[in-house]
Amino acid sequence: MLRGAASGRDVPRRMLGRTGEKVSIVGIGGYHLGGPNVTEADSIRIVRTGIDGGINFLDNCWDYNGGISEIRMGKALREGYREKVFLMTKLDGRNATTAAEQLDDSLRRLQTDRIDLIQFHEIIRNSDPQLIFAPGGAIEAMLKARQAGKVRYIGFTGHKSPEIHLEMLSTAFAHGFTFDTVQMPLNVMDAHFESFEAKVLPVLGAHNIGVIGMKSMGDHFILSSKVVSPIECLHYAMNLPTSVVVTGCDSVPILTQALHAASSFQPMTKQQVAALLARTAQSARSGQYELYKTSHHFDGTYANPQWLG
C-alpha cells in the first residue's frame, strides 16, 4: 500500500521512510538546471515555480555541470525559498577527506548551512560499499557532519545493478548502520530487466527506508521507444511505494507536465499495471532503453575517477 497521503497544494505528499519528513511525490532534478540550453534565469524560474506549485523536494549533486547546478539552485533558494524545501544533494568521495571537502563545496554553492539529505552518489561498482565503510571511509565524514548539523539524513544512489544496491545495504547493516533513503531507477522498463523494483524495493520496505525513484523516463530514452507517454512513466513510478519521484525539468512546460502528473495521480489498478507492463515488455527485454544499466553513458565517475578521491 502506498504510504502517506497528505497533500501540499495540489501535489500530494508522502512520508520519507522513517524520517518523519513529508515530501512531494514529485521532485525537481538538479542536473538539467545547469544544462547548456537552460539560462540561469530560467533555472531559477523553474525551481521557484515548482516550489510555488507545491513541490518541496529538490535533488542535486556536487558534480552536476561542474557545480553550476548547485550554484543556480542556491540562487533560486534565496528570498525565503530555502525554508520551504527539503534539500538533497549528493557527493562522489569514497574517503572521508574527499567527501568532507565536497560537502563543504555543496553547502557553499547552495548557500545554506545544512543539507537535509546527503547521498553517496553513483554506487555502481562492487568495491564502492567497502570503500565507503572502510576505516577512513566517506561514512565517517558524513556521520561527523550529521553530528555537527551540516546534514540531517544520509542515503545513497545508484543506477547500475540491484545487486550492488543490495551489497551497499548489507554492508551498512553489518556496520550497524541503516540508510535513511535509497535512490534508484524505477520505471516501466526496469520492471522487466535487472529490476530494482523486484529486488531492492522489498528490502527498503522491510526496513522503512525512504524510496527515491529516478529515471522514470530513462532520461529521454524510454520515451524514444514510442510505447509509453511521459505521464504514464511518471504515474507508474508514483504508483510504486516511492516517497518521491525525481524528474529532470529543463523548462517551465516540462515542470508543468510533472506538476500535472502529480496532481492527477490516482492509484493504478492491478489491471492497469498489467496492461502497461505488457505493452513495454518486448522493448524492455535487452535493456536497450536503460543505458544507465547497460553502458557507461550515465557514469560520471567512470569518466572522472578523480571525483572519488
Side-chain angles (χ1 to χ4, degrees):
M1 179 176 290
L2 293 176
R3 304 174 56 128
S7 112
R9 298 179 184 253
D10 290 330
V11 178
R13 295 190 178 182
R14 295 176 179 168
M15 295 299 297
L16 184 64
R18 66 188 186 286
T19 67
E21 306 287 344
K22 285 186 176 179
V23 293
S24 50
I25 66 170
V26 68
I28 297 175
Y31 181 81
H32 292 76
L33 299 175
N37 298 319
V38 182
T39 68
E40 181 175 284
D42 285 340
S43 65
I44 292 172
R45 187 175 303 111
I46 290 165
V47 172
R48 292 185 173 180
T49 301
I51 296 169
D52 291 340
I55 291 175
N56 77 334
F57 189 95
L58 300 183
D59 158 283
N60 222 308
C61 183
W62 173 85
D63 68 45
Y64 284 169
N65 301 293
I68 291 173
S69 288
E70 287 189 329
I71 290 169
R72 290 181 175 182
M73 186 170 281
K75 291 179 178 180
L77 292 178
R78 294 172 180 169
E79 301 176 21
Y81 278 90
R82 173 65 184 95
E83 289 70 32
K84 298 178 181 180
V85 301
F86 186 91
L87 180 61
M88 179 269 279
T89 197
K90 318 178 198 82
L91 51 81
D92 299 312
R94 299 303 190 245
N95 62 65
T97 300
T98 306
E101 290 173 351
Q102 291 175 355
L103 174 62
D104 285 342
D105 286 342
S106 293
L107 288 165
R108 174 177 48 81
R109 293 168 181 166
L110 290 164
Q111 302 183 38
T112 186
D113 60 359
R114 76 188 187 286
I115 304 295
D116 294 304
L117 170 62
I118 193 73
Q119 298 198 107
F120 299 113
H121 188 220
E122 284 195 4
I123 304 304
I124 59 175
R125 304 163 188 79
N126 291 320
S127 60
D128 285 337
Q130 292 301 326
L131 288 173
I132 286 171
F133 282 91
I139 190 65
E140 291 184 3
M142 292 307 101
L143 291 174
K144 289 179 180 178
R146 186 176 67 180
Q147 187 173 16
K150 290 183 176 182
V151 303
R152 298 174 63 212
Y153 304 107
I154 302 171
F156 75 91
T157 84
H159 54 248
K160 190 64 64 185
S161 163
E163 301 302 333
I164 296 174
H165 265 52
L166 294 174
E167 180 62 22
M168 186 68 162
L169 288 164
S170 64
T171 300
F173 295 149
H175 285 80
F177 182 79
T178 300
F179 283 104
D180 296 304
T181 61
V182 172
Q183 184 166 340
M184 58 191 179
L186 292 169
N187 59 61
V188 293
M189 296 202 176
D190 167 77
H192 303 287
F193 178 81
E194 290 296 308
S195 178
F196 286 87
E197 175 185 338
K199 297 180 179 180
V200 182
L201 266 184
V203 179
L204 303 186
H207 294 273
N208 198 13
I209 295 171
V211 180
I212 303 173
M214 66 174 172
K215 295 184 172 27
S216 59
M217 304 175 212
D219 199 24
H220 61 85
F221 292 103
I222 289 175
L223 298 180
S224 68
S225 70
K226 306 295 186 184
V227 297
V228 65
S229 71
I231 296 294
E232 287 175 321
C233 288
L234 289 166
H235 280 177
Y236 181 86
M238 292 172 183
N239 195 63
L240 296 172
T242 44
S243 299
V244 55
V245 176
V246 171
T247 189
C249 298
D250 57 7
S251 68
V252 171
I254 294 297
L255 169 67
T256 300
Q257 175 180 264
L259 288 167
H260 172 68
S263 63
S264 65
F265 173 73
Q266 294 292 330
M268 298 169 66
T269 66
K270 290 182 178 179
Q271 293 78 12
Q272 288 172 322
V273 172
L276 190 53
L277 291 179
R279 197 195 323 153
T280 56
Q282 184 172 354
S283 298
R285 280 184 187 136
S286 67
Q288 63 177 316
Y289 297 108
E290 291 190 273
L291 296 184
Y292 43 86
K293 293 179 182 176
T294 59
S295 74
H296 291 301
H297 183 85
F298 287 88
D299 301 349
T301 53
Y302 177 83
N304 299 275
Q306 70 274 13
W307 294 346
L308 301 172

